Amino acid sequence: MADPCTQYKDMKSYWDIPGMKAGVVTGKTAWALLQYAKAKGFALPSFNCTTSSSCNAVLEAAAKIGMPAYIQFSEGGAAFFAGKSLPNDKGKLQGSILGACAGAHYVRNVAPAYGIPVLVHSDHCAKKLLPWFDGMLEADEAYFKANGEPLFSSHMLDLSEEPHEENVGICAKYLKRMAPMDLILEMEIGITGGVEDGVDNSGVAKDKLYSTPEDTELVWNTLSPISPMFTIAAAFGNVHGVYKPGNVKLQPDLLHKFQQNLGPKVGYEKPFFFVFHGGSGSEKADIHTAVDAGVVKMNVDTDTQWAYWEGLLKFYKAKEGYLQGQIGNPEGEDKPNKSYYDPRKWVRESEVSMSARVEESCNDLKNVN
């Protein structure tokens, strides 16, 4: 069997991919973009967004460097996007469904103006959150019926806390539903440590932080007959959040071993498309090793959360004397401060700071023009 990514090896630009356009891309075009990235030796950073403002920060950075963007919504982030006052009942998660779909529609509306392709993705979905996944798939199916493509580019199932065979089996069931729409499935094996979106895996057994060749091979053997459009977030010591150097033992070379195990059986090198979870705070060398091993997407959240906050923090420190009341500042007791506390002023500072951090992640992953 020939490596399907080979066709993109000599392609000069991702714009030469059939169907490529500015705005949200889905289906075979989105998958071809991941194949192109793998062939060219770079990966796409994917950023968790919770507001239109954070979406804009990602799009701004991607447009500046002229490369594709990847925007994703977690279940909690999606609920926040819709509004925390809305009902989001356990077992229904209607607020999270609404927020994720609203986010996807927002990106679909504004992304073409930024002039770059964008993938829209839903992040970690544990077994208890499957009503959220089901709701998004219903929205995909309705959008597909009306427009010939799904609303989202891809979705992630994170059933890594379940027995491995059950995890893979449920993923297969959902991939069968997604395949007719050419939706990309991201699945996780092994557990990403740390805390993310209210899920605490900080006390997980260390052996759960590392996947095995047998784990990845079972995924391939089960999912590839259904559709080639799936990626694996295989665990190689990944941890959500940022920790002091030495506290996290990443082993990205494991990804090479997984490729070397399966490659001879399918007839070409690096058949897997991997995803790097817990990318914030990772050493650049580990990132580069992972990309060389077939990582095509890396999640970034904690670093951009800090960057967004830091923009506001620096603004407050610089303008503190103008932010203590509506009237009165260092220039005079009767001087108005509206131009300083106007949300457009300080939210924009957060966007600029986050956008710069998005650019840094793109550089780390060689996602540069």
Side-chain angles (χ1 to χ4, degrees):
M1 183 186 298
D3 184 349
C5 297
T6 303
Q7 61 185 309
Y8 301 105
K9 195 80 173 175
D10 297 322
M11 190 174 280
K12 291 183 177 180
S13 168
Y14 63 83
W15 287 114
D16 295 329
I17 296 171
M20 191 54 64
K21 64 176 183 176
V24 173
V25 292
T26 64
K28 289 183 172 60
T29 304
W31 185 247
L33 182 55
L34 297 185
Q35 290 178 309
Y36 176 87
K38 190 177 175 188
K40 294 291 189 178
F42 72 91
L44 299 174
S46 187
F47 301 94
N48 286 73
C49 293
T50 57
T51 63
S52 60
S53 173
S54 51
C55 289
N56 292 348
V58 175
L59 294 170
E60 179 179 348
K64 184 176 178 181
I65 63 174
M67 291 298 285
Y70 220 129
I71 288 174
Q72 62 187 29
F73 301 98
S74 67
E75 183 270 331
F80 188 88
F81 197 102
K84 291 292 284 184
S85 66
L86 293 178
N88 199 35
D89 303 327
K90 184 178 180 181
K92 293 183 179 179
L93 300 176
Q94 65 269 46
S96 296
I97 295 167
L98 175 62
C101 294
H105 279 290
Y106 174 77
V107 176
R108 278 188 168 275
N109 275 277
V110 302
Y114 285 85
I116 39 90
V118 185
L119 287 87
V120 179
H121 177 72
S122 64
D123 200 11
H124 292 268
C125 179
K127 191 174 182 179
K128 64 182 178 181
L129 302 180
L130 285 176
W132 175 52
F133 201 92
D134 291 331
M136 290 186 292
L137 279 187
E138 288 174 9
D140 282 315
E141 288 163 342
Y143 197 89
F144 185 87
K145 185 175 181 180
N147 301 285
E149 66 172 341
L151 177 61
F152 292 82
S153 308
S154 56
H155 294 293
M156 186 207 172
L157 281 172
D158 180 3
L159 305 171
S160 56
E161 293 182 340
E162 313 307 321
H164 186 53
E165 291 75 12
E166 181 182 353
N167 175 1
V168 178
I170 294 175
C171 286
K173 182 185 104 176
Y174 276 102
L175 187 57
K176 288 175 183 176
R177 183 176 172 185
M178 297 165 69
M181 296 181 282
D182 285 329
L183 256 170
I184 300 168
L185 172 67
E186 177 183 326
M187 60 90 67
E188 180 165 349
I189 54 174
I191 292 176
T192 302
V195 181
E196 177 77 0
D197 207 38
V199 178
D200 187 352
N201 288 330
S202 56
V204 70
K206 287 197 175 358
D207 64 315
K208 291 286 188 181
L209 299 177
Y210 301 95
S211 300
T212 68
E214 293 74 23
D215 293 338
T216 54
E217 187 171 349
L218 178 62
V219 175
W220 178 273
N221 291 339
T222 306
L223 300 188
S224 61
I226 302 169
S227 168
M229 296 170 61
F230 65 92
T231 61
I232 305 175
F236 54 97
N238 317 60
V239 174
H240 286 132
V242 177
Y243 298 85
K244 289 183 179 180
N247 283 7
V248 177
K249 303 293 185 184
L250 288 179
Q251 296 182 28
D253 284 331
L254 283 175
L255 301 179
H256 279 291
K257 292 180 180 178
F258 303 155
Q259 300 280 26
Q260 290 162 4
N261 173 64
L262 185 66
K265 299 173 184 178
V266 298
Y268 61 95
E269 295 182 356
K270 300 181 185 178
F272 290 118
F273 288 73
F274 287 125
V275 177
F276 187 153
H277 281 193
S280 292
S282 298
E283 298 288 337
K284 311 297 185 190
D286 287 335
I287 292 173
H288 294 160
T289 299
V291 171
D292 186 57
V295 163
V296 294
K297 171 180 179 277
M298 184 178 84
N299 292 1
V300 182
D301 186 15
T302 305
D303 283 346
T304 44
Q305 285 179 339
W306 173 259
Y308 195 91
W309 155 248
E310 191 175 37
L312 171 56
L313 176 64
K314 288 181 176 179
F315 175 76
Y316 179 81
K317 286 183 175 179
K319 307 296 182 183
E320 187 172 359
Y322 299 83
L323 296 167
Q324 303 308 307
Q326 289 184 287
I327 303 292
N329 60 47
E331 297 176 31
E333 294 183 358
D334 60 344
K335 297 291 184 180
N337 296 317
K338 179 173 171 54
S339 62
Y340 296 96
Y341 62 77
D342 183 332
R344 290 172 295 181
K345 189 76 173 183
W346 46 268
V347 168
R348 177 57 186 156
E349 294 301 319
S350 291
E351 290 175 356
V352 170
S353 181
M354 178 175 168
S355 189
R357 186 60 185 81
V358 169
E359 280 192 65
E360 182 181 338
S361 290
C362 290
N363 282 313
D364 290 345
L365 293 167
K366 304 177 184 178
N367 179 38
V368 290
N369 199 341

